[in-house]
Amino acid sequence: MIAIRRRSAAALAVSGVIGLAAFTWPLFVAPSSDIAHGGDAPWTFALLLPLVLAVVLAELSDKGMDSKAIAMLGVLSALGAAIRPLGAGTAGIETIFFLMVLGGRVFGPGFGFVLGNTTLFASALLTGGVGPWLPYQMLGAAWVALGAGLLPQWRGKAEIALLAGYGVASSVVYGFLLNLSFWPFAVGEGTSVSFDPNASAGANLVRLVAFTLATSLGWDLGRAVTTAVLVVVTGPVLLRTLRRASRKAAFLPSR
């Protein structure tokens, strides 16, 4: 994989802190009646794009990525944007996550972070899915692909099983995070799954879990199953293809 450099690691760490704050701040800040995520999404987006560029520039300046790696990033992002409408989230079917998992696995966490962002951004432009939810989708997808690049370096059937299991877990966590991004403002007051600004963060997390179980778990499991099946079916071929392409392009060591 493309080794992560010191500068890009610093940029990824900053993005992680900002991203975590973007998702979890409602648990620690009491919302007023006029607060909505539609207002803070542009700020999240404004912070996210420079961080993506910072990772890319750090990789370029440290020679972690070259023009061929950037070209591969463009190809995978375009491919992901093209295949996403095949599922479009219908009944939880997502046809895009397996590609980000495999791409992050082969090319590493820094590449995966950028891949998750650019793939979701490109697919949103293609499908008309631009809205206040997009920055959170981009961050969640970036973490999914980044995490795939940090998994143990197993090979063969063990690697496919590892990636399929990771696809299941990351798909469920992704859905949980997206719920957190709008849940405090989307559910009315006074229910057992409503956000309570007077409760502790732990108590609100319990309410969020209940909300997830009641509303979106079926969709999250559909995403998880789709991702796992596509990893198992396409993983052996795509992993070999991507690794062969990386060796021929000479931006990954032969291994």
Side-chain angles (χ1 to χ4, degrees):
M1 64 175 62
I2 300 176
I4 188 169
R5 266 60 177 184
R6 186 175 302 174
R7 293 179 185 177
S8 55
L12 288 173
V14 173
S15 71
V17 173
I18 292 177
L20 190 62
F23 277 109
T24 62
W25 70 265
L27 297 177
F28 305 101
V29 178
S32 62
S33 59
D34 60 346
I35 292 180
H37 257 32
D40 68 76
W43 295 103
T44 305
F45 196 75
L47 290 170
L48 177 60
L49 288 184
L51 287 171
V52 175
L53 292 175
V55 174
V56 174
L57 291 175
E59 289 290 311
L60 289 173
S61 62
D62 286 347
K63 297 182 180 180
M65 284 187 183
D66 58 13
S67 59
K68 291 170 287 188
I70 296 296
M72 178 62 73
L73 177 67
V75 169
L76 292 178
S77 299
L79 180 59
I83 66 176
R84 191 183 188 193
L86 297 178
T90 304
I93 298 174
E94 288 277 7
T95 54
I96 192 174
F97 280 77
F98 84 99
L99 187 62
M100 293 186 293
V101 169
L102 297 178
R105 170 65 171 178
V106 173
F107 298 111
F111 185 99
F113 176 80
V114 181
L115 175 64
N117 278 294
T118 55
T119 301
L120 265 292
F121 183 70
S123 66
L125 294 179
L126 183 65
T127 61
V130 177
W133 54 84
L134 179 58
Y136 303 98
Q137 290 180 335
M138 291 171 61
L139 274 172
W143 288 346
V144 169
L146 182 151
L150 297 174
L151 295 174
Q153 293 300 309
W154 298 351
R155 289 292 186 269
K157 293 182 179 179
E159 179 180 34
I160 298 300
L162 174 67
L163 293 177
Y166 174 77
V168 171
S170 60
S171 294
V172 174
V173 172
Y174 174 84
F176 185 82
L177 286 174
L178 288 190
N179 282 346
L180 179 57
S181 73
F182 71 85
W183 161 73
F185 314 100
V187 181
E189 299 180 357
T191 73
S192 60
V193 298
S194 298
F195 173 71
D196 184 357
N198 298 314
S200 66
N204 274 316
L205 279 176
V206 172
R207 289 171 173 261
L208 175 58
V209 170
F211 171 79
T212 299
L213 292 174
T215 60
S216 68
L217 183 60
W219 293 76
D220 297 338
L221 291 178
R223 181 189 306 112
V225 171
T226 304
T227 302
V229 169
L230 289 175
V231 166
V232 170
V233 172
T234 69
V237 174
L238 283 180
L239 288 172
R240 286 197 302 269
T241 301
L242 292 175
R243 284 169 175 148
R244 187 182 303 116
S246 71
R247 288 192 293 268
K248 289 184 177 180
F251 56 80
L252 290 183
S254 179
R255 52 184 303 170

